[in-house]
Amino acid sequence: MVQREISFEGKVVVVTGAGGLICGKIAEEFAQAGAKVALLDLNKDAAQAYADTIEAAGGTAKAYEANVLDLEVLEGVREQVNADLGTCDILINGAGGNNARANTDNEFHETDLPEGTKTFFDLDKSGIEFVFNLNYLGTLLPTQVFAKDMINKEGANIINISSMNSFTPLTKIPAYSGAKAAISNLTQWLAVHFSKVGIRCNAIAPGFLVTNQNRDLLFNEDGTPKERAEKILRNTPMERFGETDEMVGSVFFLASNELASFVNGVILPIDGGFAAYSGV
Ligand code: NAD
């Protein structure tokens, strides 16, 4: 029988990047659904603020300072989480993002670009490394650490955060698009790799939300939309940006062993139809 009310009562959910807009919201909703939530973030204060809100509402949450690129730190946090809340049932690999050093100014290379335009040829190697490390290694390393406790644990699963730019790259952001494509690929790899030991692995691929990391790309200082924002809306059949709470239902579906016990290795777009639309 299909269970209609989703409960994560008693589950330990570890969320990386939990001080951020999308994953802070996901952490809050898991706590409301009964989970004990570990909020990991490089920015401890940001994670703590969400943990405080959860606790004030009667939920169970604890914030931890953790760099997803530092294995030693992650191992230490895993020990603390195990002692504070118990071993991980559900891992949400949410830490990620782009960096301006890895972006081109121009959508298309042309011969007569204005002086000072940052072209493909000017991309900063360290910026590209930063983006690939944060997104790809920052998903792989926490999985190495927390999945150890998830082996053969009933209902254990991992959810990564890809992006709809993993299906077709967006202009100007080659490293971020490539790193998210790598996350989609890793999601499938992990789904296969852990299939004999009971850990499912899936990903969501959010479309366009207005958040800290892309606000400057989309809006002018006075709040008016840049041409890029207008273009996005024209290419989103539902003609609007997504909201952070619109990510939660898909995450709950993938995380629930009652609803998605046979769903493994999918990259679920949440994009208002963007990835499905050819523009014609
Ligand atoms: P955000 O910038 O609000 O949050 C990201 C969080 O990750 C921040 O709290 C930051 O402190 C933390 N972080 C950064 N580096 C870290 C590190 N090394 N170790 C630990 N924590 C670190 O971002 P968001 O918009 O909420 O995005 C969350 C996820 O969703 C990211 O993976 C992002 O790439 C992805 N995503 C976002 C969008 C969007 O439109 N915002 C679209 C598709 C995918």
Side-chain angles (χ1 to χ4, degrees):
M1 199 170 93
V2 176
Q3 183 167 322
R4 292 181 200 287
E5 264 189 35
I6 302 183
S7 165
F8 293 100
E9 201 65 48
K11 298 284 183 194
V12 174
V13 180
V14 174
V15 185
T16 74
L21 288 175
I22 294 177
C23 289
K25 179 70 190 165
I26 289 171
E28 281 182 2
E29 295 283 340
F30 266 114
Q32 270 195 26
K36 293 179 273 182
V37 185
L39 296 97
L40 279 56
D41 204 290
L42 196 56
N43 179 346
K44 168 92 189 280
D45 291 344
Q48 188 64 55
Y50 281 106
D52 290 346
T53 308
I54 291 171
E55 295 252 294
T60 306
K62 207 151 181 359
Y64 304 87
E65 184 173 335
N67 182 350
V68 289
L69 299 176
D70 189 330
L71 257 185
E72 210 174 307
V73 166
L74 287 169
E75 285 290 0
V77 169
R78 171 185 164 227
E79 279 172 28
Q80 284 176 53
V81 172
N82 290 357
D84 294 338
L85 305 173
T87 58
C88 179
D89 293 282
I90 297 165
L91 172 64
I92 312 289
N93 280 312
N98 193 19
N99 186 284
R101 285 176 296 152
N103 297 349
T104 61
D105 287 343
N106 51 325
E107 291 192 351
F108 306 102
H109 195 70
E110 289 166 81
T111 44
D112 52 357
L113 290 167
E115 182 79 17
T117 304
K118 184 165 50 124
T119 73
F120 171 74
F121 302 105
D122 306 313
L123 288 179
D124 180 309
K125 181 176 169 235
S126 68
I128 295 165
E129 282 168 348
F130 175 91
V131 173
F132 269 89
N133 285 346
L134 173 58
N135 290 281
Y136 186 80
L137 272 183
T139 296
L140 191 147
L141 298 182
T143 303
Q144 273 187 322
V145 169
F146 287 98
K148 279 183 199 143
D149 292 329
M150 297 163 72
I151 304 279
N152 290 326
K153 203 175 182 199
E154 201 189 328
N157 70 87
I158 300 161
I159 299 177
N160 297 330
I161 316 257
S162 182
S163 164
M164 49 73 230
N165 68 32
S166 68
F167 307 116
T168 308
L170 296 178
T171 58
K172 298 187 178 181
I173 54 171
Y176 185 59
S177 298
K180 289 301 189 186
I183 288 190
S184 294
N185 192 281
L186 176 67
T187 301
Q188 293 175 313
W189 190 91
L190 290 168
V192 172
H193 192 68
F194 286 137
S195 59
K196 316 291 188 220
V197 291
I199 306 175
R200 294 182 298 111
C201 183
N202 294 292
I204 59 166
F208 293 92
L209 288 84
V210 182
T211 54
N212 301 336
Q213 58 179 284
N214 63 11
R215 194 168 278 111
D216 293 348
L217 270 174
L218 299 178
F219 293 95
N220 298 309
E221 270 174 27
D222 63 4
T224 53
K226 290 186 177 171
E227 195 201 336
R228 193 171 176 87
E230 285 166 358
K231 219 170 174 182
I232 288 165
L233 294 176
R234 272 202 306 279
N235 283 285
T236 301
M238 292 178 76
E239 281 184 283
R240 64 175 177 83
F241 289 99
E243 301 290 336
T244 49
D245 48 8
E246 290 180 301
M247 305 298 118
V248 177
S250 301
V251 171
F252 272 23
F253 163 67
L254 294 172
S256 160
N257 221 40
E258 283 74 28
L259 297 179
S261 54
F262 203 47
V263 180
N264 200 14
V266 307
I267 321 298
L268 182 58
I270 314 172
D271 66 352
F274 182 92
Y277 184 44
S278 70
V280 179

